[in-house]
Amino acid sequence: MTQWECLLKNLGEWRGSFTRVSPHGEIIADTPSVVSLKGLNNNQTIRQIIRLGGDEKVLEYSSLGRGVLFFENGAFSQGTIQLGPFSEFGAELGLIYENRRLRLVQLFDKNGQLEQFTLIREHLAGTPAIQSPTLTVEALLGEWQGEAVTIYPDWRSPDRYSTKMQLQLDSSGSLVQSLSFGDRKITSTATINGSILTFSQDLQKPVQVLLLPDGASATSPLKVQFRQPLFLEVGWLITPNLRQRMIRSYNDKGEWVGLTLVTEHRINSV
């Protein structure tokens, strides 16, 4: 399936809202939205109309830029392909399930500090506007098994592998995450402060997970730094036992090197 055919999985009129969120999880603004993607010339061209509050923007395109990649189900990410000094950095990560989409934009300022998020929750016009509850730590506890697909900006063949994740609370109330993928295993611990989880195994590179409305989560470094690999992630608890995650990875030269989609099911609750 070509990248263009994967994009076509997003055709339709998507209704929802763009919610601006601070790095600490405060909701700054919530704006109703209608995003319509229509195929023209036998789907060779896409006309995209974005209505945000009272503003309207119309885009037409018949090819895709270098900063975007799509999965076969229509999920996608677009954003910075090269982290540069004193330049803004960010990406959009978009998940799709049946008649719903969940998209997250993560933005960093020119000093590399996490600046803001935009959470975009959408459903196809004419279908029920179902939303999941705001995500909690308790909703994630247990053992999850998944399948991951990694696709690459250089068009090499995708990699597919199984994943396993165990999330549990320790005696001090911290969250312990054990993650296995391929032949690698990583265990890390996060402190919980309301809707913010902070993983600070490496004090130079703390990573924050923010729990958001509609079962969403945003994983980000608090600051992007040169000569340090980094990743941006969105998670979506679609039903109590079904979750999708998308990870956009950068190497220590600041180059975008891969995009991973994980679909996981809970097999044991704690």
Side-chain angles (χ1 to χ4, degrees), residues 9 31 44 160 217 252:
K9 297 286 178 79
T31 308
Q44 299 299 302
R160 297 173 190 272
S217 58
D252 58 3

Side-chain angles (χ1 to χ4, degrees), residues 157-214:
S157 298
D159 284 325
R160 297 173 190 272
Y161 45 95
S162 57
T163 63
K164 192 179 277 189
M165 181 167 64
Q166 184 121 22
L167 292 166
Q168 55 197 38
L169 297 175
D170 67 12
S171 57
S172 69
S174 295
L175 180 69
V176 180
Q177 172 181 280
S178 304
L179 191 58
S180 311
F181 50 97
D183 51 4
R184 295 180 62 192
K185 184 165 185 183
I186 300 170
T187 300
S188 49
T189 304
T191 55
I192 303 171
N193 181 9
S195 63
I196 298 176
L197 317 180
T198 307
F199 289 89
S200 49
Q201 272 63 23
D202 183 340
L203 294 173
Q204 304 301 313
K205 296 191 296 179
V207 169
Q208 169 182 290
V209 180
L210 193 56
L211 307 179
L212 293 164
D214 197 15

Side-chain angles (χ1 to χ4, degrees), residues 239-259:
T239 69
N241 295 314
L242 170 65
R243 190 167 182 237
Q244 289 182 358
R245 291 185 290 125
M246 184 184 289
I247 303 112
R248 187 176 175 107
S249 303
Y250 292 79
N251 66 13
D252 58 3
K253 298 189 187 79
E255 299 162 338
W256 176 36
V257 290
L259 187 65

